[in-house]
Amino acid sequence: MERSIYKIKKAGSLNNLRLIKENLPDPASDELTIEVKAIGLNFADVFCIQGLYKAAPKENLIPGLEFSGVVIKKGSGVNEFNIGDKVIGITKFGAFATHINLNTNYLIKLPYDWSFEEGASFVVQALTAYYALKELGNIQNSQIVLIHSVAGGVGLYANRIAKKFNCTTIGTAGSSSKISYLKDEKIDHILVRDQDFLSNLNAALGNSKLDLILESLLGNYFKHTFKLLAPQGRVIVYGASNFATHTAFPNYFQLAFKFLTRPKIDTLRLIEQNRSVMGFNLIWLYEKKEYLRKLLEELIELNLPKPSIGETHSFKDLLYAIKKFQSGETVGKVVIKID
């Protein structure tokens, strides 16, 4: 079967990404062949294209972590899916394609009332938020949770999940223009990361302390918010958007400066203050098939609202969509639609 893919022969620049055709073999006995209908964009896609994602191949890479589509072929050992089933998939790269073969452990059925675009917007964001809050953060009822970049895909789901635990949520945004987009999300406090951010955060907390921080920036605010953690408080680091670039290829001098001036933690002080800092990369869950499936099933059982789609672009305009996504001006999920 012939398929179209976006492939990069050597990571380092978005300009190296090319749309080409190649043959896709028949699925293995435990795989399905999916006709891809929609693809979700993530910061990890940008980082791996630019060669900044350690887990990604540096050559002959097909980016993309999540998608939705229709089953068109099945391996001889597959019983739980049928031809024509609509599915959501998570893959360790390879989703920038019109067709894909994937092991059934990485697929779930698309909820009947969800669009393909919504399906392609769900897994990475919701799973990141869920794993960070529940598995690492050990979230408990009525805690106070600070969620950076709350207008993004992970941030939105982090707030929704925290609300399932009756937590007070404080969300941050890069600009006031995103606040109106969040009006229906039941966020207790929305703070813009401007010159008044820290004073506004202290006002929102009053005499209370933070129990959990979902950290996705790794910039100037880390040290200050860390000081506001309660004893037994936890910082969960799942991203580093401060290192993201708005250009086709990285500015290595700028990255070097940010790396050298990045926040640092005194491990002895962690003991003294009874606080924790944990980091994770969702891609490592990919090697734990059964555990990953269990988490996905728990997510479905939470009955969370549908993903929020910010923008939709065609497959042929994927490079433009990535550049728009890089700008930091988008809200919600940026999705690629394949007609």
Side-chain angles (χ1 to χ4, degrees):
M1 171 188 295
E2 186 178 72
R3 67 172 181 167
S4 296
I5 60 170
Y6 279 93
K7 192 172 188 177
I8 188 165
K9 287 187 176 181
K10 186 175 182 180
S13 172
L14 180 60
N15 296 329
N16 295 338
L17 196 62
R18 295 285 185 268
L19 179 60
I20 63 174
K21 294 185 181 296
E22 69 169 19
N23 288 323
L24 181 69
D26 288 334
S29 61
D30 58 355
E31 290 183 336
L32 298 173
T33 299
I34 312 300
E35 181 182 345
V36 178
K37 296 294 187 180
I39 303 161
L41 294 187
N42 296 281
F43 271 114
D45 299 326
V46 178
F47 285 135
C48 73
I49 289 170
Q50 294 183 337
L52 302 176
Y53 198 171
K54 188 175 181 180
K58 297 298 184 288
E59 296 180 347
N60 297 317
L61 168 69
I62 304 172
L65 301 176
E66 61 183 335
F67 66 92
S68 64
V70 179
V71 177
I72 60 171
K73 287 184 182 180
K74 52 188 288 188
S76 59
V78 176
N79 296 313
E80 58 184 304
F81 293 92
N82 295 306
I83 304 299
D85 281 350
K86 298 177 180 179
V87 294
I88 297 170
I90 181 171
T91 179
K92 192 175 181 180
F93 314 111
F96 285 10
T98 58
H99 300 80
I100 187 172
N101 291 335
L102 195 61
N103 183 287
T104 56
N105 280 307
Y106 305 117
L107 293 159
I108 56 175
K109 292 184 179 179
L110 182 75
Y112 76 95
D113 59 342
W114 284 27
S115 68
F116 286 119
E117 291 82 3
E118 289 165 339
S121 304
F122 178 69
V123 176
V124 170
Q125 277 72 27
L127 191 57
T128 297
Y130 184 69
Y131 185 76
L133 288 171
K134 180 179 177 292
E135 300 294 290
L136 298 183
N138 190 31
I139 191 170
Q140 302 294 314
N141 280 321
S142 303
Q143 289 186 321
I144 301 177
V145 184
L146 175 66
I147 303 168
H148 282 304
S149 300
V150 74
V154 176
L156 288 170
Y157 268 115
N159 180 72
R160 293 170 181 178
I161 293 168
K163 283 301 174 185
K164 292 282 185 179
F165 291 85
N166 300 309
C167 290
T168 298
T169 55
I170 303 173
T172 80
S175 68
S176 58
S177 63
K178 297 184 178 182
I179 293 178
S180 61
Y181 175 79
L182 300 166
K183 57 182 173 56
D184 297 325
E185 290 295 330
K186 300 179 180 179
I187 304 167
D188 294 291
H189 306 277
I190 303 174
L191 307 180
V192 177
R193 296 190 302 273
D194 56 15
Q195 60 186 12
D196 299 319
F197 168 66
L198 292 173
S199 60
N200 289 336
L201 176 57
N202 278 287
L205 286 171
N207 295 321
S208 300
K209 295 287 187 180
L210 295 167
D211 296 296
L212 287 173
I213 299 174
L214 259 65
E215 174 61 64
S216 59
L217 306 174
L218 281 189
N220 298 329
Y221 298 111
F222 184 94
K223 180 175 67 175
H224 300 287
T225 55
F226 181 75
K227 289 179 179 179
L228 297 174
L229 267 183
Q232 297 182 312
R234 304 184 183 196
V235 180
I236 313 300
V237 183
Y238 70 89
S241 62
N242 186 49
F243 285 80
T245 176
H246 303 310
T247 57
F249 52 87
N251 181 326
Y252 292 104
F253 291 106
Q254 187 180 76
L255 287 176
F257 175 78
K258 290 181 178 180
F259 180 79
L260 292 172
T261 58
R262 71 195 185 280
K264 299 176 179 66
I265 296 295
D266 183 339
T267 52
L268 289 177
R269 294 279 289 174
L270 290 179
I271 300 171
E272 177 186 319
Q273 297 168 345
N274 195 16
R275 296 168 176 164
S276 301
V277 178
M278 290 174 277
F280 84 101
N281 184 337
L282 190 64
I283 204 71
W284 300 113
L285 284 180
Y286 197 81
E287 307 303 331
K288 300 181 178 181
K289 297 179 183 178
E290 293 77 14
Y291 181 43
L292 182 60
R293 172 58 72 90
K294 172 180 173 291
L295 292 174
L296 287 172
E297 290 172 352
E298 289 178 7
L299 263 179
I300 296 298
E301 290 175 3
L302 281 178
N303 194 30
L304 296 166
K306 292 180 180 182
S308 179
I309 310 297
E311 297 185 12
T312 302
H313 300 272
S314 68
F315 190 62
K316 65 180 178 61
D317 293 328
L318 185 141
L319 272 77
Y320 169 79
I322 293 176
K323 291 176 182 177
K324 185 72 180 294
F325 179 62
Q326 282 182 286
S327 71
E329 297 174 358
T330 60
V331 291
K333 187 72 172 184
V334 179
V335 179
I336 305 302
K337 184 177 180 179
I338 303 178
D339 296 319

